[in-house]
């Protein structure tokens, strides 16, 4: 299942799709050597780019920043945005021995905005 598309995001979506396809091929090709290949797919992440988007949108629309952030989090099953630390934790897990039987998988780190 593809992630929902947004306006003017075709190149970005295509690049994510290409990386996912490469991951599937590499997982199959490298598996016999016990090399695991997975992907972490973050969604909206609270950090400088999204903070700037929230500030800009709030200023442009004349609304509080909390209102703009709430519009984003209302789409999530968990009412929050992931952080870079959340994404890093997922990558560390997949690289660890705890994930030794996991390969060819994509782990969504998006507070439940997209589920599959």
């Amino acid at each position: 299942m593809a992630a929902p598309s947004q306006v003017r995001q075709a190149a970005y979506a295509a690049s994510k799709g290409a990386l996912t396809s490469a991951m599937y091929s590499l997982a199959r090709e490298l598996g016999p050597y016990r090399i695991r290949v997975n992907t972490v797919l973050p969604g909206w992440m609270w950090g400088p780019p999204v903070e700037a988007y929230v500030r800009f949108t709030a200023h442009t629309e004349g609304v509080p920043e909390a209102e703009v952030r709430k519009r984003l989090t209302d789409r999530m099953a968990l009412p929050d945005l992931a952080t870079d630390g959340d994404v890093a934790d997922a990558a560390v897990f997949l690289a660890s021995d705890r994930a030794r039987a996991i390969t060819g998988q994509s782990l969504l780190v998006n507070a439940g905005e997209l589920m599959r």
Side-chain angles (χ1 to χ4, degrees), residues 4-105:
S5 62
Q6 295 180 3
V7 176
R8 290 180 236 147
Q9 295 291 321
Y12 179 74
S15 67
K16 277 198 164 200
L19 289 171
T20 300
S21 293
M23 179 268 305
Y24 290 137
S25 296
L26 287 169
R28 176 71 62 194
E29 186 176 321
L30 299 174
Y33 303 101
R34 298 210 178 279
I35 297 172
R36 297 175 286 119
V37 183
N38 297 291
T39 59
V40 175
L41 303 174
W44 285 88
M45 290 176 44
W46 188 248
V50 174
E51 290 175 42
Y53 165 79
V54 168
R55 273 194 307 277
F56 174 79
T57 303
H59 175 75
T60 302
E61 295 178 5
V63 298
E65 290 180 18
E67 181 179 321
V68 177
R69 184 172 172 153
K70 185 175 181 325
R71 284 186 223 156
L72 296 175
T73 60
D74 278 351
R75 298 188 281 189
M76 317 299 181
L78 300 171
D80 205 356
L81 297 171
T83 66
D84 55 356
D86 296 322
V87 175
D89 287 344
V92 167
F93 165 72
L94 287 173
S96 77
D97 285 341
R98 292 182 179 263
R100 67 182 183 83
I102 300 173
T103 195
Q105 302 303 309

